[in-house]
Amino acid sequence: MPERGRETPVLWLERVRSEDIDSVGGKGASLGEMTSAGLPVPPGFVVTAETYRWFIEETGIAEELFEAVDVDADDSTALADAEARAEELILGTDMPDGLREEILEAYADLDDGEAFVAVRSSATAEDLPDASFAGQQETFLNVTGEDLVERVKECWASLFTRRAIYYRQEQGFAHRDVDIAVVVQRMVDAEKSGVMFTSHPSTGDDRIIIEAAWGLGEAVVSGSVSPDNYVIDRETGEIIEETIADKKTMMVKDPETGETVEREVEADRREARVLDSDEIERLIELGETAENHYGDPQDVEWALVDGEVFMLQSRPITTISDPEAAAGVTDGSGTFEEQEGSDGSMLMKGLGASPGIVSGPVRVVRKLDQLDKVGEGDIIVTEMTTPDMVPAMKRAAGIVTDEGGMTSHAAIVSRELGVPAVVGTGEAASTLSDGQVVTIDGDKGTITEGAAEEETTEEDRLEEIRPQNPVKPMTATEVKVNVSIPEAAHRAAQTGADGVGLLRMEHMILSTGETPDHYVEHHGADAYIEEIVNGVREVAEEFYPRPVRVRTLDAPTDEFRSLEGGEDEPHEHNPMLGYRGIRRSLDRPEVFGHELEAFRRLFDMGYDNVEVMLPLVNDAEDVLRARKLMENAGIDPEKRSWGVMIETPASALSIEELAEAGIDFASFGTNDLTQYTLAVDRNNGNVADRFDELHPAVLNLIGEVIETCREHDVATSICGQAGSKPKMVDFLVNEGVSSISANIDAVRDVQHEVKRVEQKLLLDSVR
Ligand code: PEP
Ligand code: MG
């Protein structure tokens, strides 16, 4: 590491080069790289890794800090204590005056100290390749003035989250070898903004596409406004096609609070052209610079303020280049050629829970300490997955379980991770053996002997040349995505979804292996709250500023029973009709209060894209009581977006009074709404053929709710599995639903289906 030490506490982005990564971390280096490529990134600086090092050494806390975090990784109490102690040491130690002044001086050089800045940790550690897994990704938006100094320290403290400590202890990395940098960058108060594809994103040909709208880029990226669209011939620089859209709304920064708010566009600018030819020319020039620099077509986010263009982000328009992956067949083991040819005989059948065909050697996992034997490309075979298995599930090429249905943990998680899975085989863990090579088909639900022959179909070939980030069809109905595990956030965001329609909080809690009560009792309420904050933040950050609808805890007692502390859960005759959702939260306001406190902290951090959703409500009384508790927790329901799930016939029939209670949205949980309307237990195989989300009775309730909500200006959405089904999409768009949230792998199809139905409606209306 270069010995800059105290002499260079901050490095301006224009001086950063990619080889400075040890000093400035990954984020800092990438912004420096863009700057050095001649791209105008918003000004800013990096508080270098050496500065962090100097701080802990100079103030004398280093030794105590490293000692405090050197704990047994399997002892969760010790981990929580270590995190708390590290935070106490770093946040409780004053920034030495000289350093404080230097950071504030650098800040003062941005807009004479008036700037709103984003403050982000930038992981440097080469030995911590998966910093996001380790939870090391603090971000603070709209920071001003002296607050900056505290935020920098908070970024430093993020080096010692429980997960980061655990990860390093497990990997045998020394805490003292790891540093952290902090990027401080001016937030751009854009007058115009948008995106640009430097080559045509579908065909890769020489057409540049620019989308532009008034105000901040959030509106374009999130799809809340239809932007102008300009298609430009790259050879001649001529505009060959342009569509000037009716831009009804724009996002602007509230000058008082710094928060991003939506505003109506003045009448005379609504249909006005956003970009003049000089601005387009400048954008093309910058797009070419970016493409030449990186060597690939780029997808660029840009912003324009006072006639100046800024590039906020540039990333490749990725195409699938691995033909094996494109063919849906991967040689999981990496020793494809050496293996015995497949005899293709069917070994067993289960439910195809996550699509894709994959071959690889079996690793039977019976106990958690056997997870280490699962390597890249192996097939995990287990009775039932648990949240502790997620890191191994990420590594695996495929997943097979004995138990579980389409809404089991294994099914939801594998779909989100994009790992093929077959669940509910009944016998895999006891009949398959370690090292045996099998092929699993996550569509058909089959497991066959040996490795699959690779075959490429026409569809696969098309898939190969199709970009992964195509321009999504612009639709009036928003298409969002469901996320259950924060680890899937990145993949989910790449679908181009308009936000997250359902983030289930219970998976974050289940992944601790403890019930909320047990966790709080053993690690304290604050640790519990932070567990939620960290999980939600990972998703909110990835999607920002697209909205992320987070549902408060909804786990039936039988799901809690397998966790530590689960023995204290009540035994219930029918957990589905029992102590879960809002009814449990209202009965246990102290536990619910921790969840609400997590929301409050997220809002305070600037994650104004987070929304609160209440599960399993029946009537206005449920909602008003929850609303009161939100207020008690310091959340202003007038300022934040919050709403309910419509999962019981009672809630659907009470929609008018729910709307009057002040909700902003109602989201159909069709998994439960179907089960309760038809009296068909969603987990009972004997009546599975009667589980029909498209049953006229269910559709009737949904249709009525949409109509009433429209009258009360309440947005409607779906976040049950049925939102991924074309027939349901068809019905909902016709009824005028505001948004549809689908599984990650269905988002693209749903976007196209929505477009198709909307176009048909449009045509019908003019006929
Ligand atoms: C639903 O009921 O449709 C829903 C989305 O909630 P869950 O599946 O978590 O019960
Ligand atoms: Mg539900």
Side-chain angles (χ1 to χ4, degrees):
M1 185 187 300
E3 275 303 322
R4 286 208 185 83
R6 179 68 180 76
E7 292 76 50
T8 324
V10 306
L11 265 186
W12 286 88
L13 285 177
E14 61 256 30
R15 287 191 42 209
V16 169
R17 294 292 173 267
S18 47
E19 56 271 22
D20 291 323
I21 189 157
D22 283 348
S23 287
V24 300
K27 272 194 200 101
S30 122
L31 288 167
E33 175 85 10
M34 282 175 70
T35 316
S36 73
L39 300 171
V41 302
F45 55 87
V46 184
V47 180
T48 60
E50 292 86 349
T51 307
Y52 153 76
R53 170 77 41 184
W54 183 86
F55 168 81
I56 54 167
E57 278 168 5
E58 188 67 18
T59 58
I61 61 171
E63 287 315 311
E64 196 180 343
L65 179 64
F66 298 138
E67 217 164 282
V69 295
D70 186 14
V71 292
D72 175 0
D74 293 325
D75 179 344
S76 47
T77 313
L79 278 175
D81 290 347
E83 176 185 273
R85 183 67 191 131
E87 191 176 279
E88 200 180 338
L89 278 170
I90 294 175
L91 301 188
T93 302
D94 285 337
M95 188 78 89
D97 284 345
L99 179 55
R100 182 188 171 80
E101 276 156 30
E102 273 159 310
I103 294 176
L104 289 175
E105 262 169 38
Y107 170 73
D109 284 345
L110 289 169
D111 283 354
D112 299 328
E114 302 274 302
F116 281 97
V117 289
V119 183
R120 300 186 160 94
S121 56
S122 179
T124 60
E126 283 166 56
D127 50 356
L128 201 55
D130 197 347
S132 76
F133 171 69
Q136 212 185 297
Q137 46 174 349
E138 204 67 82
T139 293
F140 300 96
L141 303 175
N142 296 317
V143 177
T144 49
E146 306 212 343
D147 278 354
L148 171 61
V149 176
E150 281 314 297
R151 299 289 99 86
V152 168
K153 286 203 303 186
E154 284 180 55
C155 288
W156 288 345
S158 74
L159 201 48
F160 301 104
T161 61
R162 227 163 311 166
R163 283 208 279 172
I165 299 171
Y166 171 85
Y167 184 81
R168 264 179 240 127
Q169 296 288 79
E170 282 288 290
Q171 303 290 325
F173 298 142
H175 296 288
R176 63 176 69 242
D177 292 343
V178 182
D179 289 323
I180 189 162
V182 180
V183 175
V184 179
Q185 200 182 14
R186 192 173 85 195
M187 297 184 69
V188 178
D189 206 356
E191 291 152 8
K192 311 170 177 186
S193 51
V195 295
M196 165 168 59
F197 297 93
T198 63
S199 294
H200 194 290
S202 303
T203 55
D205 68 22
D206 262 0
R207 285 176 295 165
I208 296 177
I209 297 191
I210 299 176
E211 290 188 334
W214 303 115
L216 301 172
E218 279 88 332
V220 178
V221 177
S222 71
S224 66
V225 67
S226 303
D228 285 2
N229 182 293
Y230 313 89
V231 181
I232 299 128
D233 182 331
R234 206 154 132 177
E235 291 280 285
T236 62
E238 258 173 59
I239 302 179
I240 38 184
E241 209 181 302
E242 70 176 30
T243 315
I244 306 301
D246 179 6
K247 300 161 287 287
K248 297 189 183 69
T249 57
M250 63 195 282
M251 303 289 239
V252 291
K253 187 188 289 172
D254 182 325
E256 302 272 292
T257 62
E259 277 177 30
T260 303
V261 289
E262 192 176 273
R263 222 181 56 194
E264 273 187 24
V265 173
E266 303 85 344
D268 58 339
R269 287 210 304 166
R270 271 177 53 161
E271 294 186 41
R273 194 173 197 272
V274 175
L275 292 178
D276 64 32
S277 50
D278 288 348
E279 289 164 341
I280 291 183
E281 211 169 292
R282 173 75 179 134
L283 277 169
I284 297 175
E285 194 185 312
L286 292 175
E288 288 191 339
T289 311
E291 183 166 327
N292 291 340
H293 181 78
Y294 291 104
D296 285 313
Q298 298 288 301
D299 163 358
V300 175
E301 274 175 40
W302 57 268
L304 230 150
V305 57
D306 287 336
E308 208 178 333
V309 180
F310 290 103
M311 309 283 262
L312 307 180
Q313 197 172 59
S314 181
R315 56 189 167 212
I317 306 174
T318 36
T319 47
I320 298 172
S321 53
D322 173 1
E324 281 189 359
V329 178
T330 48
D331 164 19
S333 70
T335 53
F336 194 82
E337 297 83 355
E338 294 155 28
Q339 280 151 14
E340 301 264 304
S342 160
D343 72 0
S345 57
M346 168 107 82
L347 296 171
M348 65 194 71
K349 208 166 163 6
L351 288 171
S354 173
I357 301 169
V358 69
S359 304
V362 164
R363 301 286 171 230
V364 181
V365 173
R366 288 182 218 288
K367 289 201 302 246
L368 284 182
D369 61 7
Q370 294 176 321
L371 283 173
D372 285 350
K373 70 180 181 183
V374 179
E376 293 283 337
D378 290 345
I379 309 275
I380 297 187
V381 176
T382 184
E383 275 178 26
M384 203 162 89
T385 65
T386 61
D388 313 72
M389 293 189 182
V390 171
M393 292 168 78
K394 275 173 89 176
R395 288 197 295 277
I399 296 162
V400 179
T401 69
D402 285 357
E403 290 167 27
M406 296 298 281
T407 53
S408 62
H409 176 267
I412 292 176
V413 172
S414 56
R415 272 199 298 272
E416 291 196 356
L417 294 175
V419 179
V422 177
V423 300
T425 60
E427 51 175 351
S430 52
T431 47
L432 300 177
S433 46
D434 269 353
Q436 180 180 3
V437 174
V438 296
T439 297
I440 73 171
D441 184 330
D443 285 299
K444 298 198 187 106
T446 55
I447 296 162
T448 45
E449 181 76 43
E453 294 290 323
E454 188 186 330
E455 67 181 66
T456 308
T457 62
E458 181 62 11
E459 174 58 18
D460 298 332
R461 208 188 54 73
L462 283 174
E463 192 63 26
E464 199 179 317
I465 54 174
R466 208 177 271 154
Q468 275 178 345
N469 287 332
V471 185
K472 67 181 170 89
M474 190 57 74
T475 54
T477 316
E478 290 179 317
V479 179
K480 300 186 182 177
V481 62
N482 293 341
V483 176
S484 291
I485 52 167
E487 288 88 339
H490 183 62
R491 205 172 153 256
Q494 280 189 325
T495 59
D498 296 316
V500 173
L502 169 64
L503 173 60
R504 292 179 168 99
M505 196 182 275
E506 49 278 7
H507 284 257
M508 292 169 211
I509 305 305
L510 292 171
S511 71
T512 67
E514 297 174 63
T515 62
D517 288 328
H518 189 273
Y519 195 98
V520 171
E521 192 187 323
H522 289 82
H523 318 290
D526 196 61
Y528 178 70
I529 295 163
E530 280 302 304
E531 199 71 55
I532 301 172
V533 168
N534 287 334
V536 174
R537 193 182 48 195
E538 205 166 324
V539 185
E541 170 74 19
E542 188 68 51
F543 274 82
Y544 196 85
R546 292 177 275 175
V548 174
R549 209 162 265 181
V550 185
R551 186 176 72 183
T552 60
L553 208 53
D554 179 18
T557 46
D558 55 338
E559 278 189 30
F560 276 148
R561 184 145 314 105
S562 58
L563 305 177
E564 266 185 83
E567 60 284 358
D568 296 332
E569 286 294 306
H571 279 271
E572 294 186 309
H573 178 60
N574 192 335
M576 278 296 184
L577 299 177
Y579 200 44
R580 55 173 289 210
I582 201 69
R583 33 184 95 169
R584 181 172 177 141
S585 297
L586 293 175
D587 192 51
R588 302 284 311 277
E590 69 291 354
V591 181
F592 188 47
H594 300 328
E595 295 165 40
L596 296 174
E597 168 63 13
F599 280 105
R600 198 192 57 75
R601 289 188 192 176
L602 286 154
F603 293 141
D604 282 355
M605 285 174 187
Y607 291 103
D608 48 13
N609 57 332
V610 169
E611 305 179 332
V612 185
M613 180 153 71
L614 308 170
L616 221 71
V617 302
N618 266 345
D619 48 38
E621 194 191 329
D622 282 345
V623 174
L624 290 171
R625 284 175 66 195
R627 184 189 161 123
K628 188 84 206 134
L629 293 172
M630 278 164 64
E631 284 167 4
N632 292 349
I635 299 170
D636 182 352
E638 297 295 332
K639 253 177 80 188
R640 304 296 173 190
S641 175
W642 64 286
V644 297
M645 304 269 298
I646 300 295
E647 290 168 297
T648 66
S651 63
L653 296 167
S654 314
I655 188 62
E656 183 124 30
E657 56 177 72
L658 297 183
E660 279 158 11
I663 55 169
D664 297 301
F665 58 83
S667 183
F668 300 106
T670 40
N671 307 339
D672 279 321
L673 186 60
T674 307
Q675 115 166 316
Y676 299 134
T677 304
L678 305 179
V680 172
D681 179 345
R682 59 195 260 192
N683 289 339
N684 184 341
N686 296 331
V687 285
D689 59 338
R690 285 184 162 265
F691 187 86
D692 176 14
E693 297 121 321
L694 296 163
H695 190 287
V698 179
L699 296 185
N700 204 347
L701 287 172
I702 293 178
E704 293 288 327
V705 170
I706 293 179
E707 194 179 327
T708 309
C709 282
R710 198 173 320 108
E711 285 159 15
H712 287 77
D713 213 11
V714 168
T716 45
S717 186
I718 181 172
C719 59
Q721 288 288 337
S724 302
K725 296 186 173 173
K727 279 198 181 135
M728 183 58 101
V729 171
D730 214 324
F731 171 77
L732 291 170
V733 174
N734 271 294
E735 293 294 310
V737 80
S738 326
S739 68
I740 291 178
S741 193
N743 299 336
I744 294 180
D745 50 357
V747 168
R748 191 161 139 178
D749 288 347
V750 171
Q751 286 167 341
H752 287 275
E753 181 65 9
V754 168
K755 181 83 196 172
R756 192 187 66 73
V757 182
E758 285 184 358
Q759 272 170 345
K760 185 166 175 303
L761 279 173
L762 194 66
L763 282 176
D764 289 350
S765 71
V766 295
R767 268 194 195 127

